[in-house]
Amino acid sequence: VSAGGVEEGLEPSPEAFFEATQARVMAVGRLRNDVDKESEKDAHRMNLGTTLLEDDEGQIVRLDLRMVQTPMVLFPGMIVAVVGTNPTGRCILASALYSDANPPVAAPVAARGFGASTGKPEPVIAVDGAGEDARLHVVAACGPFTTSTSLHFRPLHALLAHAARVRPQLVVLIGPFLEAESAILTQQTPHIHLTFHQIFHARVLAPLREFRRENPAIQVLLVPAADDLHHHPVIPAGPFESVDIPGVHCAPNPGFVTVTSKADPSRSARLAAAAIPAVDDINAECHVVGYPNRFAGMAEELVRQRSLYPLYPPAKTTPLDASLLAALDFPAAKPPHAVIVRSVKIMAFAREVAAGAAVVVNPGPLAKGAGGGTFAELFVPLSREESSRAEAAPGQPKAEVEVEAEAAGGAEGEGEDEIAPVPMEGVEELGARKSVAGATSERFGVKIVRI
């Protein structure tokens, strides 16, 4: 890990961990929490008095962060650069902390983890979009997709009906589709004479097939979850393998997708979609200082750390395969323009991050108990960038998916009395949409809606 250039005249020094000095030094490493979680179950969050820094050689030093003036989010596993003095050789008195010190991943994730082994490249979607205000219209939802009392998947049908009205270019569906904790699936399994795969095909894929037949211009992207009963119970995981519907595309979990303009290939938008409880797990561990709320800080750090699960060690309830951690890193030097994450414990939110370069969206669950939940509509710019054209890893083919043209912004939906916007903190009204607070109307538009 290199943090050179974070502060002029300073370079990371291993001696900063143990050598007493009054001179300013820089130390780079991973944050650790000096708390015994087993003995302090109700007070295990990291705080300013329990923060340690560990380098890649295993050397550990305590951090005193009380003099740091910038906003901070602290959680175990963060890669940071710390600037300060170490007068005793045992504690760095920090004057600055930089959480964007982790270098970008050099190779696309498909070449580093499960993508290479399955031979299934992650999608590059080409859309018709031109003009200075070209924007990608996305409808995104996270599971569960049916209520706790029914297998009729009415929330999914309501979502698809809404998509047919507003006509986005892309619908992103993030699992679970058949939730492992579903009472109707687990407690009543003896009364269901279908396998989980058969239920998935009959209740999820069949409606999607009909949706695509009636709306051939709208593409669909599916991302599995570790708690899908019919899929691999691990993170990361490969895509669904038995989906053969034209226009319905399957990404791994996490899925990274690049959307480009067919008319102007220099225009693109990068999306990340993941059924990974990063926000929930970080929220349980982190200490936030200087941000308006915890959501803002956690969203910012997901992008700064360039990982969809920067927490380490992972939560005991998260089935993370440590041998494939690299598959959770962002696959390019620049972060995605839109990061869509799933949370089961935190209400839906949208936050602009990276100084306006990206937006992090938690659509919330589409079904909540016996009723409906929320989903998100995103308007992401197809911006012109020299480095934005996606390149496949050596030996990896590209997956080209074409989407029909649509006017920027999409059509206005009917039946707003059926699907109404939900007031969200940090989201303000902008015409018929809701824009992330702090973003300009020309860049991102985000609307959280309830069914």
Side-chain angles (χ1 to χ4, degrees):
V1 175
S2 172
V6 170
E7 188 161 323
E8 187 174 354
L10 288 177
E11 291 291 336
S13 168
E15 290 76 18
F17 283 78
F18 56 84
E19 189 174 279
T21 178
Q22 294 289 345
R24 287 168 60 80
V25 295
M26 177 185 293
V28 173
R30 187 191 304 271
L31 292 186
R32 285 184 51 176
N33 190 4
D34 187 23
V35 169
D36 184 350
K37 296 182 182 180
E38 297 300 325
S39 61
E40 300 185 41
K41 294 182 179 179
D42 297 327
H44 65 265
R45 283 188 179 180
M46 179 174 281
N47 58 65
L48 294 180
T50 65
T51 307
L52 306 177
L53 186 68
E54 181 180 18
D55 70 3
D56 54 5
E57 299 294 330
Q59 296 183 110
I60 298 175
V61 66
R62 186 170 294 276
L63 298 179
D64 184 338
L65 301 171
R66 290 174 295 178
M67 298 301 292
V68 177
Q69 300 297 315
T70 56
M72 293 183 293
V73 178
L74 307 174
F75 57 84
M78 278 185 66
I79 305 297
V80 300
V82 177
V83 175
T85 62
N86 189 352
T88 65
R90 296 186 298 273
C91 179
I92 295 179
L93 307 180
S95 59
L97 181 143
Y98 302 93
S99 60
D100 199 11
N102 195 18
V105 178
V109 71
R112 297 171 63 90
F114 48 83
S117 62
T118 62
K120 295 180 182 295
E122 296 180 2
V124 176
I125 302 176
V127 301
D128 282 338
E132 293 303 318
D133 59 348
R135 297 209 287 183
L136 175 69
H137 184 184
V138 181
V139 168
C142 297
F145 291 91
T146 191
T147 64
S148 60
T149 59
S150 169
L151 283 179
H152 293 296
F153 284 80
R154 290 192 178 94
L156 175 62
H157 287 274
L159 174 75
L160 295 179
H162 177 74
R165 288 195 296 269
V166 301
R167 300 191 61 77
Q169 293 158 298
L170 181 64
V171 174
V172 178
L173 304 179
I174 301 172
F177 297 89
L178 301 180
E179 189 182 21
E181 296 185 2
S182 169
I184 196 169
L185 283 170
T186 56
Q187 296 177 14
Q188 300 183 21
T189 299
H191 306 287
I192 300 174
H193 303 291
L194 295 172
T195 67
F196 294 136
H197 281 90
Q198 289 171 329
I199 295 174
F200 178 64
H201 279 259
R203 297 299 190 182
V204 177
L205 296 187
L208 289 179
R209 189 184 301 275
E210 182 67 14
F211 173 77
R212 278 284 303 150
R213 186 184 66 81
E214 297 176 354
N215 304 275
I218 304 176
Q219 301 291 301
V220 179
L221 183 70
L222 303 181
V223 179
D227 48 345
D228 266 314
L229 286 168
H230 64 301
H231 201 60
H232 308 298
V234 67
I235 299 170
F240 293 130
E241 297 177 350
S242 58
V243 179
D244 59 354
I245 305 172
V248 176
H249 314 282
C250 298
N253 179 31
F256 296 95
V257 179
T258 298
V259 181
T260 61
S261 167
K262 291 191 294 184
D264 183 356
S266 68
R267 291 188 176 276
S268 70
R270 299 181 296 275
L271 308 181
I276 300 175
V279 175
D280 293 339
D281 293 351
I282 292 173
N283 184 55
E285 298 275 354
C286 74
H287 180 71
V288 180
V289 179
Y291 282 97
N293 56 55
R294 297 175 71 83
F295 301 153
M298 291 187 297
E300 187 75 46
E301 289 307 326
L302 277 180
V303 174
R304 284 186 177 178
Q305 293 289 296
R306 297 186 176 97
S307 171
L308 287 168
Y309 198 90
L311 184 71
Y312 190 86
K316 292 181 179 179
T317 56
T318 299
L320 195 66
D321 185 342
S323 68
L324 294 177
L325 283 179
L328 308 182
D329 294 336
F330 292 162
K334 293 187 177 180
H337 296 106
V339 179
I340 307 169
V341 296
R342 174 197 172 208
S343 170
V344 298
K345 299 178 181 178
I346 297 175
M347 65 181 291
F349 67 84
R351 289 288 169 185
E352 185 189 43
V353 297
V359 63
V360 176
V361 181
N362 164 30
L366 189 66
K368 260 188 173 180
T374 57
F375 64 91
E377 281 192 62
L378 292 74
F379 298 86
V380 183
L382 293 169
S383 56
R384 182 177 286 115
E385 295 180 307
E386 256 182 47
S387 60
S388 65
R389 183 179 292 186
E391 297 293 340
Q396 293 289 324
K398 283 187 181 180
E400 295 290 344
V401 183
E402 295 191 352
V403 180
E404 296 296 328
E406 181 192 12
E412 292 298 332
E414 300 174 3
E416 289 299 324
D417 56 330
E418 300 175 17
I419 303 180
V422 179
M424 300 291 299
E425 182 188 7
V427 179
E428 58 185 356
E429 190 68 31
L430 182 67
R433 307 172 189 152
K434 286 182 179 289
S435 176
V436 178
T440 62
S441 61
E442 291 83 10
R443 188 146 184 82
F444 296 108
V446 179
K447 181 169 66 173
I448 304 292
V449 293
R450 187 187 300 279
I451 60 171

